[in-house]
């Protein structure tokens, strides 16, 4: 299951019923937070999104309406006794911003690593690829891809005499008891693709990143929430 929750879609000024920019992608018990405007924690709680599960924060750029919720969120994670490391990705020019946010957050009981968003990485079970946007400051969007294994063939599993308790493990792509996933899975299916892009003028990079994304909207399992 891949769940996308838009926590905020307002720009510059938060509104009573619309928070500033933030979104969460949840997959397999892990999550990624995209941007963190004012009010992100409040809307996340109202939406039932647990930000303690996030593995990383992906910032599109460093304007205040996209990052001013971050110091408070880092403090909240500390008060909830988080110990797992947190990575914060963003475009170039993050040094002074990182220093200011970390100073506002104060000492934290978990490590925070700031990294330039470049190249493809794996986070929360997703393949994350940043791409450049056209804004007044360095800005990037993110393309998320969730690969999907082939369909499980119960008839093949029964014919091969594979014990029922092995089925779930094989379906998850792991070998067990001398059996391999290829013994019971069909060819890989088209994965799910989601593109997150915010402040930008029209640019070819957005079109290229989103080229395969519409297919995700018609594929299962997939869920989309706007709060």
């Amino acid at each position: 299951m891949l769940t996308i929750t838009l926590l905020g879609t307002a720009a510059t000024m938060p509104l009573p019923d619309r928070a500033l920019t933030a979104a969460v992608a949840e997959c397999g018990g892990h999550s990624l937070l995209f941007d963190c405007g004012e009010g992100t924690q409040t809307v996340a709680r109202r939406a039932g999104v647990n930000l303690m599960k996030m593995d990383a924060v992906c910032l599109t750029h460093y304007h205040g309406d996209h990052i001013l919720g971050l110091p408070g969120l880092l403090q909240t994670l500390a008060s909830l006794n988080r110990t797992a490391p947190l990575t914060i990705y963003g475009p170039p020019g993050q040094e002074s911003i990182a220093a200011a946010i970390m100073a506002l957050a104060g000492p934290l009981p978990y490590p925070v690593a700031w990294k330039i968003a470049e190249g493809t990485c794996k986070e929360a079970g997703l393949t994350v690829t940043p791409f450049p946007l056209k804004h007044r400051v360095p800005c990037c969007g993110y393309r998320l891809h969730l690969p999907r294994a082939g369909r499980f063939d119960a008839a093949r599993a029964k014919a091969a005499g594979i014990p029922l308790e092995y089925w779930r493990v094989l379906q998850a792509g792991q070998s067990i008891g001398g059996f391999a996933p290829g013994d019971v899975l069909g060819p890989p299916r088209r994965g799910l693709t989601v593109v997150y892009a915010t402040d930008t003028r029209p640019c070819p990079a957005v079109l290229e990143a989103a080229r395969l994304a519409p297919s995700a909207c018609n594929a299962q399992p997939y869920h989309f929430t706007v709060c």
Side-chain angles (χ1 to χ4, degrees):
M1 171 72 77
L2 173 59
T3 302
I4 307 296
T5 304
L6 299 182
L7 299 177
T9 58
T12 307
M13 182 183 296
L15 303 174
D17 58 351
R18 193 158 65 121
L20 293 184
T21 309
V24 172
E26 297 176 278
C27 181
H30 297 265
S31 65
L32 299 177
L33 175 65
F34 295 89
D35 288 330
C36 189
E38 297 170 60
T40 293
Q41 293 189 73
T42 301
V43 184
R45 181 173 290 272
R46 189 163 64 237
V49 172
N50 184 357
L51 294 178
M52 274 287 283
K53 295 181 179 180
M54 67 179 180
D55 295 346
V57 180
C58 300
L59 302 175
T60 56
H61 63 292
Y62 307 121
H63 281 159
D65 56 336
H66 289 254
I67 66 170
L68 288 181
L70 196 49
L73 175 58
L74 297 179
Q75 289 182 322
T76 296
L77 298 179
S79 70
L80 295 175
N81 300 316
R82 180 186 177 108
T83 56
L86 180 68
T87 303
I88 301 177
Y89 295 96
Q94 65 183 206
E95 293 78 12
S96 61
I97 298 297
I101 288 177
M102 298 307 293
L104 289 170
L108 301 172
Y110 56 92
V112 177
W114 288 74
K115 296 184 179 181
I116 300 298
E118 55 185 359
T120 296
C121 65
K122 297 274 188 160
E123 290 286 357
L126 301 168
T127 301
V128 183
T129 305
F131 57 91
L133 299 176
K134 290 186 177 181
H135 194 29
R136 299 191 307 274
V137 296
C139 187
C140 65
Y142 296 90
R143 183 178 185 271
L144 313 179
H145 181 71
L146 176 64
R148 302 176 72 206
R151 295 186 183 279
F152 183 84
D153 191 331
R156 287 172 59 191
K158 291 178 180 178
I162 299 176
L164 187 62
E165 59 268 25
Y166 291 177
W167 288 18
R168 183 179 295 274
V169 177
L170 293 168
Q171 192 171 15
Q174 302 175 32
S175 298
I176 185 173
F179 299 101
D183 297 333
V184 292
L185 298 181
R189 291 171 287 172
R190 173 175 286 184
L192 302 179
T193 301
V194 177
V195 171
Y196 177 81
T198 58
D199 303 19
T200 184
R201 297 188 295 276
C203 64
V206 174
L207 297 177
E208 178 59 27
R211 187 168 56 86
L212 298 178
S215 64
C217 298
N218 298 318
Q220 295 295 328
Y222 178 80
H223 182 66
F224 192 90
T225 306
V226 179
C227 299

